[in-house]
Amino acid sequence: MKQARKRLFIDAKTSAKEREKTIYLAVENGCNTLVFSLNDKFFRSKNSRYIKLIKHHALNIEAGGRDLPLLLPKRLFFVNSGLFRMEHGRRRMDHHFCPTNPKTTSLIHENAHKLFAHVIEKVTTPRIFHLLPDEGHENTWCACPACRAFSPAEQYLIAVNCAADALAKYDNEAVMHYVDFDTEPDAEGISPRKNMAPSSK
């Protein structure tokens, strides 16, 4: 029987000194899995002491977190604001984006593909990834004419589906965790991909 994974998410801004402490903190609290952001320096690190500590304690490595902004960098707003969400008739760059825009979904897929390429080999098999909505803004999505047909949860699923498609190209057994926060009984238009599984909030 496989041991359930108990996770500790590592903030990408955590210092090198604090990172070693997180390993001991994880072990002391019964955590067996560290989750690093997709662009975390850990995936490019050559800090053998840190890596040896992780291996010594047999910790699993997963990738992701609140990484949706990595899939569509905010700087693109100044080039093409139509990629981002609409609120009261105006485009905004503060949270999330416009998932019904084909250019948006194309960029999400492309950027997810690039990010997975850098991390895939360091993620422990069976590989698990996470893509969570912006904290406190699960319902802050696009209100453009096209997106109004979809609930915030469905818009979120459109985005995560694109990333999950990119992940499947690297490892068709890898799983993308997502937040199943939709409580609307009639919101059935968008289904998660087969390589996705709901995670707790």
Side-chain angles (χ1 to χ4, degrees), residues 8-198:
L8 179 65
F9 285 74
I10 308 298
D11 190 308
K13 296 178 182 177
T14 305
S15 69
K17 186 176 181 179
E18 289 297 317
R19 283 170 183 263
E20 290 191 15
K21 291 182 181 178
T22 61
I23 294 175
Y24 298 111
L25 180 66
V27 173
E28 288 171 6
N29 288 278
C31 295
N32 59 9
T33 304
L34 301 178
V35 187
F36 296 93
S37 171
L38 288 167
N39 71 339
D40 194 283
K41 57 190 175 184
F42 166 76
F43 293 111
R44 304 181 299 274
S45 174
K46 294 181 180 179
N47 184 340
S48 58
R49 173 177 166 78
Y50 189 52
I51 294 170
K52 284 179 180 178
L53 275 173
I54 290 173
K55 290 181 177 179
H56 174 74
H57 292 285
L59 297 173
N60 297 304
I61 300 298
E62 296 178 357
R66 299 194 185 277
D67 284 344
L68 283 175
L70 298 176
L71 304 182
L72 196 73
K74 296 289 191 289
R75 66 177 182 275
L76 295 177
F77 182 84
F78 303 102
V79 179
N80 186 349
S81 62
L83 299 170
F84 294 83
R85 74 181 186 93
M86 179 178 285
E87 181 181 293
H88 303 304
R90 299 185 67 176
R91 296 287 177 179
R92 298 175 61 96
M93 63 182 290
D94 51 359
H95 302 290
H96 303 136
F97 31 74
C98 179
T100 62
N101 184 335
K103 290 183 179 179
T104 298
T105 52
S106 177
L107 284 168
I108 288 172
H109 186 277
E110 179 183 336
N111 289 329
H113 194 272
K114 291 176 182 177
L115 287 165
F116 296 147
H118 291 291
V119 307
I120 196 77
E121 293 301 325
K122 286 197 174 182
V123 175
T124 309
T125 55
R127 295 184 174 101
I128 296 177
F129 293 76
H130 306 263
L131 268 182
L132 313 177
D134 289 353
E135 188 172 14
H137 295 277
E138 288 85 355
N139 292 305
T140 308
W141 281 83
C142 188
C144 75
C147 284
R148 280 201 293 267
F150 301 98
S151 70
E154 289 175 311
Q155 292 185 46
Y156 165 62
L157 273 181
I158 292 171
V160 182
N161 279 349
C162 290
D165 289 342
L167 178 60
K169 293 181 179 180
Y170 283 106
D171 182 349
N172 59 14
E173 294 185 0
V175 177
M176 176 70 73
H177 280 198
Y178 69 99
V179 176
D180 186 9
F181 64 89
D182 195 356
T183 58
E184 299 175 28
D186 60 343
E188 301 175 352
I190 304 297
S191 298
R193 297 290 193 259
K194 291 181 179 179
N195 64 338
M196 290 168 56

